[in-house]
Amino acid sequence: MKQFLGDDFLLNSKVAEELYHDFAKQMPIIDYHNHLPPEDIANDRHFTDITAAWLAGDHYKWRAMRAFGVDESYITGDQPSQLKFQKWSEVVPYTIRNPLYHWTHLELRRYFNINDILSPDTADSIYNQTKEAFSDKDKGCQGLLEMMNVELLCTTDDPTDDLRYHQQIAASNLRVKVLPTFRPDKALTFESAKAFKEYLHKLEAIAGQKVSNIEDYLSALESRIDFFHAHGCRLSDVSFGSLPQLLDSQKVDKHFEVLLAGGKLEPIEMESLQAYLLLELCKMYHARGWAQQFHLGVLRNNNERAFRELGPDTGFDSMGDFSHAITLSRFLSRLDNTDQLARTILYNLNPRDNDLFATMAGNYQDGKIRGKIQFGTGWWFLDQKMGMEAQINSLSNMGLLSCFVGMLTDSRSFLSFPRHEYFRRVLCNLIGQDVHNGELPHDAPFLGTIVKDICYHNAKNYFQFE
């Protein structure tokens, strides 16, 4: 029987152990998609305790706490910090077989050298140990990133962001490179006339230009793209349930005029406008040599009461069962037809779509850029052992695993970087098992090179960060 979280955790063959310990473990981290606040990095925020670092904003943990019957006051409410942590400690033993069980204990070990199992009996001791650790001058946000060997990370930033904190980070002595990602979701959201007007005023102010028509709107967004580019951005991102379809390009200017006048669009009109604007943005990304990410398949804000009371991004989103093949194919084809399809990463949220996304990526490889179209890593509900294995297997069967750009955290937590270790162990175990089964030759130097590429080199070469 193996030791829990021992040196060979998730590694079930000698070859897997060899690949992880000799090749994967040492590689720096490029975390090319996360939701970490640049302000916290720039100001080297020091957390008051582990509750502030661990539970605030973590909807994975919030969902588990609600499922266990914990009152909302201990989750997003105003209960004292240590009591919230105590409640979480009551839940953790019952998260067995959920990735939260592994992540919780990996993070305690990697950041604090705490090997105890978190439970009500150990909660006070762990809370006090971590609180003391956070008082160390080297345990601010910057130190937490450096101790995990993070070389580069990309935050997720709205077009109206002034990037002041990225500028502050760039001027500092931080060894970790922190770059913005252009995320125009709010610029493509038109359900609320009031919200659109408010966003439009912000865009006009930051871009320094008046928007009177759809061409002005695109011009203002392009000026923000250029601003982001000047500050090191080489990556965009957008999230939809499914990609919108351009149903009538001749009327999109009229649709936009309705928005400017404070009117409301029909769903089919809104979709056409979103598709048109997104296609134009994608052409701008291509012209600047950026990569683009599409996160598809989430059904957001399912619980109407919770949305009213707590707002978005509080743990009430789930997998959707959208139909992707035709819309995704048409969207990518429109860009490819004019040779304006940028390097693209496709992420799905429903595992039933793994093979669909893996084969869709293969349709648009152009023989010029290695791994130009990527089937992205297991995202959100799929960034656990089974989800990672399924994504890797689909990619291996339908494409080239060797060209894969690897893992990301997609996290709002500065304590989430052991997820890269988790992924690397899963990766090495799958390849090692193939060798053990006689399905791959035992060529450790070559397989080790593949592993190092997936963990680091492929991403470094793919994104072309300066």
Side-chain angles (χ1 to χ4, degrees):
M1 182 174 65
K2 283 191 173 185
Q3 178 186 4
F4 174 62
L5 289 186
D7 287 344
D8 297 327
F9 170 58
L10 297 180
L11 306 174
N12 297 318
S13 69
K14 290 298 181 183
V15 180
E17 295 170 14
E18 180 181 30
L19 290 175
Y20 177 73
H21 293 295
D22 294 348
F23 299 97
K25 183 177 181 179
Q26 67 199 21
M27 302 310 294
I29 289 173
I30 294 178
D31 198 61
Y32 54 90
H33 177 70
N34 61 70
H35 298 273
L36 296 179
E39 180 178 4
D40 288 353
I41 303 172
N43 296 331
D44 195 23
R45 176 186 177 187
H46 280 64
F47 294 104
T48 54
D49 60 13
I50 194 168
T51 305
W54 228 9
L55 296 177
D58 191 336
H59 48 81
Y60 289 87
K61 294 184 178 71
W62 294 354
R63 286 170 71 96
M65 294 172 80
R66 291 180 187 124
F68 196 68
V70 175
D71 185 80
E72 193 67 32
S73 64
Y74 294 96
I75 302 172
T76 60
D78 56 2
Q79 291 285 353
S81 182
Q82 191 163 355
L83 284 182
K84 287 185 174 183
F85 184 73
Q86 180 69 35
K87 286 296 184 182
W88 172 236
S89 76
E90 295 172 11
V91 177
V92 167
Y94 295 92
T95 63
I96 58 168
R97 303 205 79 239
N98 185 294
L100 284 166
Y101 194 81
H102 287 157
W103 295 343
T104 294
H105 294 104
L106 274 176
E107 290 167 19
L108 287 175
R109 293 181 180 218
R110 299 302 180 253
Y111 289 100
F112 306 104
N113 289 319
I114 294 174
N115 294 327
D116 295 334
I117 302 300
L118 180 57
S119 71
D121 293 336
T122 61
D124 286 344
S125 172
I126 289 174
Y127 180 85
N128 291 328
Q129 288 181 71
T130 53
K131 188 176 180 68
E132 182 179 355
F134 279 126
S135 68
D136 188 318
K137 64 179 178 64
D138 295 325
K139 270 286 205 306
C141 288
Q142 296 185 5
L144 294 172
L145 293 173
E146 290 181 343
M147 72 184 298
M148 288 294 106
N149 199 20
V150 179
E151 179 178 294
L152 183 147
L153 61 84
C154 295
T155 58
T156 304
D157 310 277
D158 187 83
T160 61
D161 196 302
D162 62 11
L163 303 184
R164 70 177 71 177
Y165 296 114
H166 289 88
Q167 295 174 49
Q168 185 177 328
I169 295 166
S172 73
N173 295 320
L174 179 62
R175 293 196 297 272
V176 181
K177 194 165 189 176
V178 180
L179 298 176
T181 297
F182 191 82
R183 175 82 175 235
D185 290 41
K186 291 182 180 178
L188 301 173
T189 301
F190 308 123
E191 285 85 357
S192 166
K194 181 175 180 290
F196 172 71
K197 276 291 188 182
E198 291 173 354
Y199 187 81
L200 181 61
H201 291 327
K202 285 182 66 176
L203 179 62
E204 289 176 325
I206 195 76
Q209 61 187 88
K210 180 70 175 173
V211 172
S212 301
N213 52 47
I214 196 168
E215 289 79 14
D216 292 345
Y217 194 60
L218 284 168
S219 175
L221 288 169
E222 184 165 25
S223 76
R224 300 310 297 158
I225 289 174
D226 287 334
F227 179 78
F228 272 57
H229 189 87
H231 288 85
C233 177
R234 299 294 182 270
L235 188 58
S236 69
D237 183 36
V238 72
S239 180
F240 282 99
S242 62
L243 276 176
Q245 294 186 71
L246 182 55
L247 303 170
D248 190 348
S249 61
Q250 303 301 314
K251 295 182 179 179
V252 291
D253 54 344
K254 301 297 183 184
H255 300 334
F256 194 77
E257 288 175 8
V258 171
L259 290 178
L260 287 178
K264 186 173 178 60
L265 296 177
E266 295 297 324
I268 195 169
E269 296 171 335
M270 189 184 308
E271 181 178 4
S272 217
L273 180 59
Q274 287 174 322
Y276 175 79
L277 291 170
L278 183 58
L279 284 163
E280 293 304 306
L281 290 176
C282 290
K283 294 172 185 177
M284 297 174 194
Y285 305 152
H286 177 268
R288 290 157 181 81
W290 288 13
Q292 58 193 10
Q293 301 172 97
F294 297 109
H295 284 89
L296 305 175
V298 61
L299 190 64
R300 297 186 185 274
N301 305 318
N302 293 272
N303 188 318
E304 294 182 14
R305 176 188 55 78
F307 180 71
R308 276 196 315 273
E309 295 175 0
L310 302 173
D313 302 321
T314 50
F316 299 94
D317 306 323
S318 64
M319 294 179 189
D321 56 355
F322 301 94
S323 178
H324 294 289
I326 293 175
T327 57
L328 189 52
S329 174
R330 287 175 178 170
F331 191 92
L332 296 177
S333 285
R334 282 182 183 272
L335 294 168
D336 186 73
N337 277 338
T338 55
D339 197 20
Q340 291 175 294
L341 178 59
R343 284 165 289 139
T344 301
I345 308 177
L346 306 173
Y347 306 90
N348 63 293
L349 195 56
N350 192 323
R352 72 170 195 184
D353 297 320
N354 282 356
D355 290 353
L356 188 162
F357 275 58
T359 55
M360 187 64 68
N363 292 333
Y364 299 97
Q365 308 290 8
D366 63 5
K368 300 174 183 176
I369 299 173
R370 189 173 185 263
K372 177 180 176 178
I373 312 300
Q374 293 272 330
F375 172 33
T377 189
W379 167 48
W380 202 337
F381 296 109
L382 303 182
D383 63 353
Q384 25 74 10
K385 179 174 177 286
M386 184 179 295
M388 291 176 184
E389 290 175 343
Q391 186 270 343
I392 290 170
N393 285 331
S394 284
L395 174 55
S396 301
N397 287 329
M398 314 294 173
L400 295 181
L401 176 65
S402 56
C403 296
F404 182 33
V405 293
M407 181 58 176
L408 48 86
T409 63
D410 189 33
S411 175
R412 291 167 172 81
S413 171
F414 282 90
L415 299 183
S416 66
F417 285 86
R419 293 184 195 178
H420 281 267
E421 174 188 340
Y422 196 73
F423 166 82
R424 292 173 181 187
R425 288 176 179 272
V426 169
L427 171 70
C428 291
N429 186 62
L430 285 175
I431 296 175
Q433 192 61 49
D434 285 349
V435 176
H436 179 78
N437 293 343
E439 298 172 26
L440 285 174
H442 186 193
D443 185 344
F446 177 74
L447 295 176
T449 298
I450 297 292
V451 165
K452 290 198 295 184
D453 284 348
I454 295 169
C455 295
Y456 173 73
H457 291 294
N458 286 346
K460 189 174 182 68
N461 295 330
Y462 184 82
F463 294 111
Q464 300 178 6
F465 299 121
E466 294 178 359

